Amino acid sequence: MTTTWRHLPAPAREIAQAATEAVGAAQARDAGAYEPAVERLTAADRAGLVLGGVVRLLLEESHPDGLDGDDVRQVLERCVRSTAGWRPDVDPHVLLVLLASALGVYDPGDDDAPPDPAAIARHAPLLVADLLAATGRPLADYLTAAFTEVARTELQD
C-alpha cells in the first residue's frame, strides 16, 4: 500500500514524500535513488525535526525499557556496519548526534558545532532504515505520529 500524504499541507507532504523515498532507497541500498531524495530532504524546511521524531519513536518502540549507553552504541555500530558497504561516507559522529538529539540529550558544547542540515539529511534516512528493520511496521506509521507530535508542540507554543 502506498501512502499519498494528500491530507498534509504542502511543506509536510514534501517532507513525507522525500523521507519515504530516501528511506526506501536506504533500505534497498540504492545510491542512485538516495541522492535526489536526500537533496529534497535537505531543501525541505523542518525535515530534520520530523525525522528526529521518527528516530525517537523507533527507539522507544525497539527499547521499551529505555536505552543505556550500550544500547546506543549497538544501534550506532549496527547502522554504520550495515551502511558502510554502499555509503562509505557514513559519518558515525553525525549518526551519534542524530541519536542524542532524538533522545533529547545532545549538547554541542563550545567546541562541537552541530552537523549542518545537509549532513542530517544524508544520515537520518540511514538511521531510520536501520531502526525500521527491527519493528516490522511501515515508515508511514512513524511519519504520521511524528507529524502529529510536531503539530501538537506547535499548538502548545
Side-chain angles (χ1 to χ4, degrees):
M1 182 174 125
T2 302
T3 304
T4 62
W5 304 109
R6 285 187 198 126
H7 62 287
L8 294 174
R13 189 170 46 246
E14 176 63 16
I15 292 169
Q17 291 170 340
T20 300
E21 289 174 15
V23 171
Q27 290 169 323
R29 292 168 167 45
D30 182 347
Y34 192 74
E35 289 305 321
V38 165
E39 288 176 20
R40 284 179 66 190
L41 276 177
T42 301
D45 187 37
R46 306 191 76 177
L49 177 65
V50 173
L51 287 171
V54 170
V55 168
R56 187 186 54 72
L57 291 165
L58 283 161
L59 289 169
E60 287 176 354
E61 185 171 318
S62 60
H63 297 85
D65 295 329
L67 282 96
D68 62 20
D70 287 338
D71 295 325
V72 171
R73 188 185 77 251
Q74 287 173 355
V75 168
L76 180 63
E77 287 176 356
R78 185 184 65 227
C79 184
V80 170
R81 283 189 181 120
S82 69
T83 304
W86 73 281
R87 295 291 307 179
D89 62 340
V90 65
D91 185 340
H93 177 72
V94 175
L95 292 171
L96 180 60
V97 168
L98 285 167
L99 285 166
S101 295
L103 295 170
V105 297
Y106 177 64
D107 180 13
D110 294 334
D111 297 329
D112 184 25
D116 64 26
I120 297 296
R122 277 191 313 274
H123 287 76
L126 302 173
L127 185 56
V128 169
D130 183 74
L131 291 167
L132 275 172
T135 68
R137 288 180 47 203
L139 173 62
D141 292 354
Y142 298 99
L143 281 171
T144 299
F147 281 122
T148 300
E149 285 187 13
V150 169
R152 183 175 38 246
T153 301
E154 287 179 350
L155 287 173
Q156 291 176 356
D157 286 344

